[in-house]
Amino acid sequence: MIRKCISAGLMCVLLSGFGSAQPLKQAAKGVKNFWKAPAHARQISGALESRVQRSYITAVQTQNQFPQAQRFLQATAGVRVTGEIPVVPKALYPQAPFLTNQNQLTNYFLAQNNRQLSKQLPFYQRYLQDVGTHVEDFFRNQQNITHEQELDMFWLAMQISPQISNLLIAEIHGFPEIAFNVAKLLEELKELQPQREIFVFTEFLPEGKIWGDPDLRPRLRSYIPAWQFASILDIPVIGLEPQFVEDNLDLTLSASAQGEIIWASPEALRLRNQRWLALIRSYREKYPNALFVIYAGEAHITYSRPHSLGQKLAGPSTFVAGIYPQYDPNCPDRRHMLDTSPFDQVTNSNFATQRVLKFTDPKLVRLAGFDAQIKVPLLRD
């Protein structure tokens, strides 16, 4: 029956071409590809599913081996996604043209994520051990900083010399106090370097969108006052977050992954950082002498995070600052936690009451993950 259908199709083409050879060759090629492509796609899909299963087993074994390191990662090994990743494959993996549909994309992503888990868990285990053995060194190496709290953003701006091209600001999400202080920092920077062009790049706006665009619909309203203030200072604010993230914020890993948001997983962080970096570098080509202020969540920024912007941009022209909420025992909600920064957590809160931290030894700076860390007071209702 199949042969009859193919023969009939070829005969139709042959007759329509009045017996010429060229239509016959085209038809033969089309039929050949018609049967080859689905089989090839099925082979790719089967191979990817097999890779997911193998990588899942390895990732689970690694998790069991390094349970302490798991707290750094917001995803466990997953065998599937809730549904499929509703993104065009080349948007996530432009260098993987063999991914032709969303099922293949989902399996490829899961396998890559499991591989990242298997790599990063041993990394974080070593990191915990390294920090633990250097706690006394951190105490001895910290700078003595005694200025008043209201001068914190001025002090931070003073650390940014004209030789600094990239100021990376890390936060933990959910604290409007941090955005408020970032706005103050921008004002101090503008006053100290009035002739210098300054650009803000942020996770909290869609990719390529500039604050003030008429079609911009900001998702996170708590940052709007900071962007409005930057506009007053004539500082452009440019979004970094890809639209496919903005459109699928609630997409979760499922099965053994217990419903974690997919975009916080190790592989998604790697992909997002890679895409952010490409946009930032495209602007750097146009503005080689400008100061770029890059403001995002801690997992994207600090030196101690794999694939972070801090790691990719590390060097004499980059300064990483962490801005976190200050410990407040009188605050009734979760913001009273003693360990409000990642560095507090890995040092067992030994530095939790230190409002400003800066170390002089470059090795300790990289180990801590930042050039400076500041705790800002919580806003009262």
Side-chain angles (χ1 to χ4, degrees), residues 64-116:
N64 294 335
Q65 189 177 359
F66 303 110
Q68 289 179 309
Q70 181 61 40
R71 60 177 165 160
F72 290 95
L73 302 171
Q74 297 186 40
T76 51
V79 294
R80 62 186 176 89
V81 171
T82 305
E84 294 178 346
I85 300 177
V87 177
V88 176
K90 68 178 181 180
L92 280 182
Y93 296 103
Q95 305 304 319
F98 54 85
L99 300 176
T100 59
N101 58 57
Q102 291 174 339
N103 178 266
Q104 291 177 356
L105 170 67
T106 301
N107 283 322
Y108 187 80
F109 175 89
L110 285 172
Q112 292 294 96
N113 192 55
N114 288 339
R115 289 182 62 194
Q116 286 295 326

Side-chain angles (χ1 to χ4, degrees), residues 183-188 190 228-235:
K184 289 172 59 178
L185 173 62
L186 293 176
E187 182 180 29
E188 301 289 2
K190 196 69 174 180
Q228 291 173 332
F229 192 67
S231 181
I232 292 171
L233 296 172
D234 198 26
I235 296 176

Side-chain angles (χ1 to χ4, degrees), residues 87-152:
V87 177
V88 176
K90 68 178 181 180
L92 280 182
Y93 296 103
Q95 305 304 319
F98 54 85
L99 300 176
T100 59
N101 58 57
Q102 291 174 339
N103 178 266
Q104 291 177 356
L105 170 67
T106 301
N107 283 322
Y108 187 80
F109 175 89
L110 285 172
Q112 292 294 96
N113 192 55
N114 288 339
R115 289 182 62 194
Q116 286 295 326
L117 282 163
S118 300
K119 292 178 181 178
Q120 292 188 24
L121 285 166
F123 167 84
Y124 282 123
Q125 186 70 25
R126 291 191 299 271
Y127 175 67
L128 278 171
Q129 293 169 351
D130 288 345
V131 171
T133 59
H134 286 87
V135 170
E136 292 301 323
D137 295 329
F138 283 123
F139 273 114
R140 287 192 295 265
N141 196 253
Q142 62 181 313
Q143 289 187 6
N144 184 26
I145 300 170
T146 59
H147 63 261
E148 298 295 325
Q149 188 167 48
E150 58 266 24
L151 297 176
D152 280 350

